[in-house]
Amino acid sequence: AGERHWDDVVTIDGTPLPGGEYRMLPAGAQVTLRDLATRMISVSDNSATDILLHFLGRARVEAMIETTGVAPDHAARNRPLPTTLELFKLKGANGGALGTQWIAADEDARRAMLAGAIMRTPVTAIDPAMFATGVPLRVEQLEYFASPMDMVRTMDWLRRNTQNNPEARAILSVNPGIPEDTARHYSFVGYKGGSESGVIHMTLLLRGPDAQWRVLTASWNNPDAAVDDMRFIGLIGAIAAQLAPDATGPAPRPAP
């Protein structure tokens, strides 16, 4: 709608942030929306993600979940949408007590928790070793939720709505998520992934030299034990290679 531009500047205000490039920046430091979005998409920078969610507004981001193609019942599981830091508090603060309350609460009660108990809980209450053991932490209940078809529709929405926004497509393609020798077989590779103990997800938006668009999306979830991230990444790379319209040799990869 023209309300925001990639060169718009966000001023760091000292709000606590999770790990990431922007966590240690002093209050008053400035960063563009372009830089934040690039870090969020390309390397899953948690601090960039939270800054963007605060700046754009939780209600606006929640409203876009269904707009981009997530099924209504799945979208409802993501409301209210916690920041990364809030999710860490639910999982790891005070032995997970906040998470227990969150799981039992309805949407209104959860919003009250965000404005109350969760906001008041200091970052220092989060167990710094909560991910060190590799044991999944309530991943079936405290996570962000979407099905494979939700992700297909989301990538298709991005494809359709970035036709005249080359910077958005460039951000989506900074990290292809697959080996470069495979990516060269496509004229465009957009990628977003994410992981934690017991969870790994990868979604790719692919355009071949034949101008046909495809989405490759997969998740591996195990609530009881860590999954083999490298095996999963290798499988996705192999599938992307097989899907390539012309996999007989390196193909040029023109700018999107």
Side-chain angles (χ1 to χ4, degrees), residues 146-166:
S147 72
M149 282 309 302
D150 291 334
M151 298 310 301
V152 171
R153 289 187 291 265
T154 296
M155 278 296 190
D156 185 55
W157 187 93
L158 287 169
R159 176 191 66 83
R160 290 183 283 105
N161 287 275
T162 60
Q163 293 182 74
N164 299 313
N165 194 333

Side-chain angles (χ1 to χ4, degrees), residues 63-214:
M64 287 300 297
I65 296 175
E66 284 189 53
T67 298
T68 56
V70 176
D73 55 333
H74 300 160
R77 295 191 68 188
N78 295 292
R79 293 193 304 263
L81 186 72
T83 65
T84 312
L85 184 60
E86 289 165 345
L87 193 61
F88 288 172
K89 289 181 180 181
L90 292 173
K91 287 176 176 284
N94 304 319
L98 287 172
T100 299
Q101 296 176 41
W102 180 273
I103 291 167
D106 61 17
E107 182 177 332
D108 290 340
R110 290 178 176 183
R111 293 194 186 278
M113 288 180 66
L114 289 173
I118 295 173
M119 180 180 292
R120 292 192 300 268
T121 300
V123 176
T124 53
I126 301 173
D127 180 2
M130 68 175 181
F131 291 125
T133 64
V135 176
L137 297 174
R138 295 173 163 182
V139 297
E140 292 183 305
Q141 300 158 311
L142 301 174
E143 248 295 350
Y144 304 110
F145 301 101
S147 72
M149 282 309 302
D150 291 334
M151 298 310 301
V152 171
R153 289 187 291 265
T154 296
M155 278 296 190
D156 185 55
W157 187 93
L158 287 169
R159 176 191 66 83
R160 290 183 283 105
N161 287 275
T162 60
Q163 293 182 74
N164 299 313
N165 194 333
E167 290 198 71
R169 286 197 178 179
I171 289 170
L172 196 61
S173 65
V174 168
N175 174 9
I178 54 178
E180 185 60 33
D181 59 349
T182 298
R184 282 198 300 267
H185 292 287
Y186 295 94
S187 61
F188 179 81
V189 179
Y191 167 69
K192 183 66 182 80
S195 65
E196 68 164 291
S197 298
V199 175
I200 186 168
H201 173 85
M202 297 176 69
T203 293
L204 295 119
L205 175 63
L206 306 166
R207 184 178 66 191
D210 56 1
Q212 295 298 307
W213 290 90
R214 300 166 176 84

